[in-house]
Amino acid sequence: MRLFSLCVLCCLPLQPLWAQSFCSSPLRVGFDDWPPYHYYQQEGARRELRGFAVDYLNAVSNRLGCRLVYVERPWKRGLHDLERGRLDIVMEAYFADERARYAWFSIPYNPGRTSLWVRKSGTGEESDLASWLAHGHRLGVTRDYYYGPEITKVLQRYRNQVSEVNDVQNYRKLLLGRIDGFLGDSLATPWGLKREGLSDAVVPHTMAIHETPTFFMLSKKTLSGEFVARFNEAIVAVGDSGEQELIWRRYTSVR
């Protein structure tokens, strides 16, 4: 019996010792409905969780030998649960000093690009957002979304021309002529426009707006700095293997 047990063990796939010790229980991952980063997709009779961040995190966890349990939460509640140690990871997060008080940040995995979206007939020739607003254009932004310090200053300077709503409201306001453009994530906005049947009516302006990388946030209550170091090594491995590029292409072909 002992010899048989040893033979079975020899045939099992080998995992790094640190993966076995750091991932003894599943990691709890918070997510909200934000396609194409994390969303449910119907596959026959089953509903599967899909998305760029989900696929990326799955690829990372496979290299770590970790199991994941995805828990649906509104974004703000997800941050609160991460701080309290009721979640281990949340996805697609920007760095903030307040968040760093209770969370580790991985190395970045998404460039986090924001574009100015306008009606197809109104692209214009302005080269930056300040010039665009100086011409009197009205802008929609997403409530509670952070656009970085430089864009925030521009928005404050032209606050009388800026309105804060949610993404879908921006789409409709643009088509009704109540705004002349809105700021939207370069990956998520095409998905939202397609869902609303507006892909042919709204396009990105050629000007560059803002780029702030996004990170995985990991709870300091439940995960160690040593785990974060291994987690970052796995992110690098996903990139070096070419899997990152395949995942990115999977979600940028919507238009």
Side-chain angles (χ1 to χ4, degrees):
M1 177 65 71
R2 185 177 179 184
L3 179 60
F4 174 76
S5 299
L6 289 174
C7 290
V8 171
L9 288 174
C10 289
C11 294
L12 291 175
L14 294 178
Q15 285 185 315
L17 292 178
W18 54 262
Q20 296 173 17
S21 61
F22 279 115
C23 298
S24 57
S25 59
L27 300 174
R28 300 157 299 174
V29 183
F31 76 96
D32 57 356
D33 181 35
W34 191 33
Y37 291 108
H38 16 81
Y39 65 99
Y40 281 114
Q41 179 170 297
Q42 200 70 31
E43 297 286 351
R46 293 185 308 165
R47 245 190 2 155
E48 291 190 359
L49 186 62
R50 301 290 305 276
F52 171 75
V54 172
D55 289 3
Y56 206 117
L57 184 57
N58 288 342
V60 170
S61 69
N62 287 340
R63 283 164 173 76
L64 293 172
C66 297
R67 291 180 296 140
L68 304 176
V69 175
Y70 287 95
V71 184
E72 189 166 7
R73 292 281 188 274
W75 173 246
K76 288 187 177 180
R77 183 181 169 189
L79 294 179
H80 182 266
D81 284 353
L82 189 81
E83 181 177 6
R84 295 293 183 270
R86 293 193 284 264
L87 289 175
D88 301 298
I89 302 174
V90 296
M91 303 176 283
E92 280 302 307
Y94 291 115
F95 179 85
D97 290 333
E98 169 59 21
R99 295 174 181 177
R101 179 179 56 80
Y102 60 85
W104 310 102
F105 283 80
S106 72
I107 58 175
Y109 65 96
N110 177 13
R113 296 188 183 97
T114 295
S115 299
L116 172 65
W117 297 82
V118 296
R119 291 183 295 275
K120 203 166 189 177
S121 58
T123 52
E125 297 181 357
E126 295 89 347
S127 59
D128 58 75
L129 186 63
S131 300
W132 188 83
L133 287 166
H135 280 84
H137 293 303
R138 296 156 299 171
L139 179 70
V141 298
T142 301
R143 186 178 290 115
D144 297 326
Y145 195 91
Y146 181 62
Y147 296 100
E150 293 183 7
I151 296 300
T152 298
K153 289 179 182 178
V154 173
L155 298 180
Q156 290 172 346
R157 192 187 321 158
Y158 295 95
R159 63 171 60 91
N160 293 335
Q161 296 165 230
V162 177
S163 62
E164 295 186 18
V165 293
N166 64 39
D167 292 337
V168 175
Q169 287 175 306
N170 274 327
Y171 304 164
R172 297 302 174 187
K173 289 179 72 173
L174 178 60
L175 291 182
L176 291 171
R178 296 176 182 171
I179 57 175
D180 302 297
F182 63 86
L183 298 184
D185 181 84
S186 63
L187 191 57
T189 303
W191 281 67
L193 292 172
K194 182 178 181 180
R195 184 169 53 186
E196 298 297 315
L198 301 174
S199 296
D200 294 331
V202 181
V203 297
H205 197 286
T206 55
M207 73 172 69
I209 295 293
H210 172 63
E211 184 172 309
T212 297
T214 57
F215 310 81
F216 294 109
M217 284 176 63
L218 302 93
S219 175
K220 288 184 176 179
K221 283 264 187 185
T222 63
L223 299 173
S224 69
E226 188 175 358
F227 176 85
V228 177
R230 299 297 188 182
F231 189 90
N232 285 336
E233 289 176 6
I235 290 178
V236 172
V238 172
D240 290 346
S241 71
E243 191 171 1
Q244 175 183 5
E245 182 64 24
L246 291 175
I247 295 171
W248 181 258
R249 289 179 185 175
R250 190 177 301 155
Y251 295 100
T252 53
S253 59
V254 66
R255 292 185 72 90

